[in-house]
Amino acid sequence: MSIFEQYGPRQVINGCGKMTVLGASAVDKDIAEAMGRAAMDYVEIAELLPAAGRVIAKATGAEDGCPTCGASAGIAISTAAVISGTNVDIIENLPHSSGLKNEIILQKGHAVNFGARVTQMMMLGGGKPVEVGCANLVAADNIENAINEKTAALFYIKSHHAVQKGMVSIETMVEIAHRHQLPLIIDAAAEEDLHKYIAMGADLVIYSGGKALEGPTSGFICGTKALCAACRMQYQGIGRPMKTGKESIVGLLTALGKYASRKPNGDLQKQRMHALLKDLEDIEGVHGSIAQDEAGREIYRAKLVIDEAVTGIHAVEIAHKLESGNPSIHTRNYYLAQGEIFVDPRPLLEGQEKIIAEKIKEILREAKGNQSNGRN
Ligand SMILES: *Cc1c(COP(=O)(O)O)cnc(C)c1O
């Protein structure tokens, strides 16, 4: 029984991926224990924040860092920081920023909704988003021409949510920003590489703690000393209603400490998905295989191709039945229309691949029964 069930929500078996709507990550025991100890104790937050900055710096190669309650808070706080610096009067008045350098330039194809609008997060921090170019085509000149005496920063989003083609590259954004003595902020919320964007020259880079890092609901900003100090000071201002608690900070730092030594576990993933496929191999109309991640990452998912003519039930209907049961089983459903169901092994707790196989078998048995009844 999951701890959530006593309050009503069904148990979830997550075979989809790291989805914010499913609670992002389930942390491991070390992280959970560290968070528990932090929750049961006290600390000077004014000492914890810069200490966290040092751990973030070490993990990213940046000069400094600032913990946040998520990447979206990271966007708001970074925006506030490039506008206010460490000026307390400005910090205490944000998001009001009229008369100040407050324009944040981003490409139209980057003005996405990741669950909320990236431009709204900027406005929370007092920024005025300036979208340039077209949704599918932006030129370096579009960026350059938008820069004026009100520009506070350039912003780049590295994400599958963004338009991938026709956009100005990070290299060019860095070059333009620094030629105009402006900072470049990169939202790399779900990225796995914690060093890359700092090494490329970004001034602030934003990550989510609950995505690739597999930490608790949290996030962080890394970057230059001056801007990270300005980020931490936002906790006296717009950061206050998005503060991150001591237990989340300790959970985040524990996750960061473990991340560097994390080994790829592709073999274990394959083993678990083979076990799932083995349980389903005798079912007619279901063709199982192991599929590596489209982007070439070390992720090996089970792929089930459902032949509706044989099974009597379409993949869409199978996925719906899996999700509406208790436990509620979430598969990876990007190719459902083509009859393909994927299962992601990474978020599955121990033994849950067995439960998924059993439930799929049950649904297919039932469909088969309905099919033969219909024929008679
Ligand atoms: C998930 C995501 C966010 C929001 O992250 P939270 O940690 O949930 O606040 C922001 N930007 C991008 C690109 C994301 O993928």
Side-chain angles (χ1 to χ4, degrees):
M1 177 161 159
S2 91
I3 192 164
F4 302 106
E5 280 187 273
Q6 60 184 298
Y7 303 108
R10 289 170 295 159
Q11 183 191 359
V12 163
I13 293 182
N14 180 4
C16 180
K18 286 165 202 148
M19 314 301 292
T20 301
V21 291
L22 295 179
S25 288
V27 300
D28 70 20
K29 222 175 161 52
D30 294 342
I31 296 175
E33 277 172 10
M35 292 179 74
R37 286 179 59 196
M40 292 188 287
D41 210 342
Y42 298 95
V43 65
E44 288 254 15
I45 300 297
E47 287 181 17
L48 181 58
L49 288 176
R54 290 190 288 276
V55 177
I56 292 166
K58 187 151 172 270
T60 58
E63 290 172 13
D64 203 349
C66 174
T68 63
C69 66
S72 39
I75 300 168
I77 288 173
S78 298
T79 303
V82 297
I83 294 170
S84 69
T86 53
N87 182 318
V88 173
D89 291 299
I90 298 177
I91 288 169
E92 291 183 352
N93 275 301
L94 288 174
H96 291 293
S97 63
S98 55
L100 301 170
K101 278 177 183 268
N102 62 0
E103 294 185 2
I104 312 289
I105 298 173
L106 76 162
Q107 316 184 47
K108 267 240 162 70
H110 285 194
V112 297
N113 185 312
F114 55 78
R117 286 190 186 187
V118 64
T119 49
Q120 185 181 27
M121 303 306 115
M122 292 174 180
M123 291 189 283
L124 272 174
K128 185 174 163 209
V130 176
E131 297 174 27
V132 303
C134 285
N136 65 339
L137 190 65
V138 183
D141 273 351
N142 296 138
I143 309 279
E144 194 100 35
N145 293 338
I147 295 175
N148 64 64
E149 68 285 350
K150 300 273 287 181
T151 306
L154 306 191
F155 183 92
Y156 185 100
I157 188 162
K158 173 69 191 162
S159 164
H160 67 278
H161 293 295
V163 175
Q164 304 295 319
K165 283 187 190 159
M167 296 295 116
V168 177
S169 69
I170 294 175
E171 288 86 350
T172 305
M173 293 292 277
V174 169
E175 191 278 315
I176 297 174
H178 292 175
R179 186 152 41 75
H180 290 271
Q181 277 147 28
L182 291 168
L184 173 68
I185 303 169
I186 298 185
D187 174 6
E191 293 301 298
E192 293 179 338
D193 193 327
L194 304 184
H195 288 86
K196 183 173 175 182
Y197 305 103
I198 286 294
M200 287 176 86
D203 298 273
L204 288 176
V205 186
I206 298 157
Y207 289 90
S208 207
K211 292 180 178 171
L213 203 52
E214 296 182 1
T217 305
S218 61
F220 66 88
I221 304 164
C222 56
T224 63
K225 268 225 152 333
L227 284 174
C228 287
C231 285
R232 291 193 297 264
M233 278 183 75
Q234 304 305 320
Y235 287 117
Q236 309 168 36
I238 63 108
R240 180 65 185 234
M242 49 185 99
K243 77 173 168 218
T244 173
K246 60 191 188 301
E247 52 287 318
S248 300
I249 295 176
V250 166
L252 171 72
L253 301 185
T254 311
L256 277 172
K258 298 187 73 162
Y259 191 66
S261 58
R262 196 155 87 194
K263 301 221 170 25
N265 64 351
D267 286 341
L268 178 64
Q269 293 180 27
K270 282 187 222 168
Q271 198 184 317
R272 296 179 74 187
M273 292 301 92
H274 274 302
L276 174 90
L277 296 177
K278 182 123 188 57
D279 281 346
L280 298 172
E281 71 184 354
D282 293 333
I283 302 178
E284 279 178 58
V286 177
H287 301 282
S289 59
I290 302 283
Q292 192 175 358
D293 179 57
E294 304 95 321
R297 291 177 296 173
E298 272 280 290
I299 306 169
Y300 299 94
R301 303 188 177 97
K303 174 181 176 182
L304 302 169
V305 183
I306 311 294
D307 182 353
E308 186 188 7
V310 179
T311 58
I313 182 168
H314 193 274
V316 169
E317 186 64 16
I318 297 174
H320 175 72
K321 282 180 184 288
L322 286 170
E323 215 169 293
S324 54
N326 192 6
S328 172
I329 298 172
H330 292 253
T331 48
R332 198 170 175 88
N333 298 338
Y334 297 121
Y335 301 99
L336 266 193
Q338 291 103 295
E340 297 172 4
I341 297 175
F342 286 76
V343 177
D344 193 317
R346 296 169 303 159
L348 292 178
L349 306 189
E350 202 180 328
Q352 289 184 332
E353 60 272 24
K354 274 266 172 232
I355 304 174
I356 297 178
E358 283 311 313
K359 191 68 197 178
I360 291 176
K361 275 201 269 191
E362 185 187 314
I363 291 168
L364 290 169
R365 254 196 318 269
E366 201 178 292
K368 204 76 193 161
N370 291 342
Q371 197 180 31
S372 41
N373 286 343
R375 279 209 196 103
N376 292 340

